[in-house]
């Protein structure tokens, strides 16, 4: 399985960018996307950028990755606030929702 990691562009060169997070910086292949600029966020898989992200989406992905690490470590208390964007009950997409007939007025 491959997990995308959001990294911020620190420096640019033709076909690659030096990107980092709060732990490390490394050169990322950017030939699959439009040339980034310093400060941009990229979704990186196996040291290759696959998508440009806005800062909000990058933060959501980083929070989800932190939640995975917390669950693996057994630290469920650390989950508070990591899914702030989920302020509603999850809904199935329309094509997965069951097509049930309407209930009769006196049926249980």
């Amino acid at each position: 399985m491959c997990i995308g990691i959001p990294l911020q562009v620190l420096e640019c060169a033709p076909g690659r960018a030096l990107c980092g997070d709060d732990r490390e910086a490394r050169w990322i292949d950017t030939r699959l996307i439009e040339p980034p600029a310093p400060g941009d966020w990229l979704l990186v898989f196996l040291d290759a950028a696959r998508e440009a992200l806005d800062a909000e989406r990058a933060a959501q992905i980083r929070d989800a990755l932190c939640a995975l690490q917390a669950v693996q470590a057994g630290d469920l208390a650390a989950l508070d606030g990591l899914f702030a964007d989920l302020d509603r009950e999850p809904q199935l997409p329309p094509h997965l929702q069951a097509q049930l007939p309407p209930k009769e007025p006196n049926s249980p």
Side-chain angles (χ1 to χ4, degrees):
M1 174 171 52
C2 186
I3 295 179
I5 300 171
L7 296 174
Q8 192 168 32
V9 176
L10 305 172
E11 180 183 326
C12 296
R16 64 187 190 142
L18 182 63
C19 300
D21 58 14
D22 49 346
R23 296 182 313 265
E24 66 176 325
R26 62 184 188 261
W27 286 98
I28 301 299
D29 184 334
T30 59
R31 292 176 290 178
L32 295 176
I33 63 168
E34 293 292 322
D40 287 352
W41 285 92
L42 305 177
L43 189 58
V44 176
F45 294 83
L46 300 173
D47 288 339
R50 302 282 196 250
E51 180 182 346
L53 303 170
D54 62 33
E56 181 180 351
R57 184 69 180 135
Q60 290 171 341
I61 295 169
R62 290 181 71 176
D63 285 349
L65 293 173
C66 287
L68 286 174
Q69 289 175 335
V71 168
Q72 287 179 324
D75 185 8
L76 300 182
L79 296 177
D80 292 342
L82 290 176
F83 292 104
D85 60 313
L86 297 180
D87 59 353
R88 60 175 172 75
E89 191 67 29
Q91 299 292 314
L92 287 174
H95 68 281
L96 294 178
Q97 294 176 5
Q99 302 298 321
L100 301 175
K103 288 187 176 182
E104 296 291 325
N106 293 330
S107 68

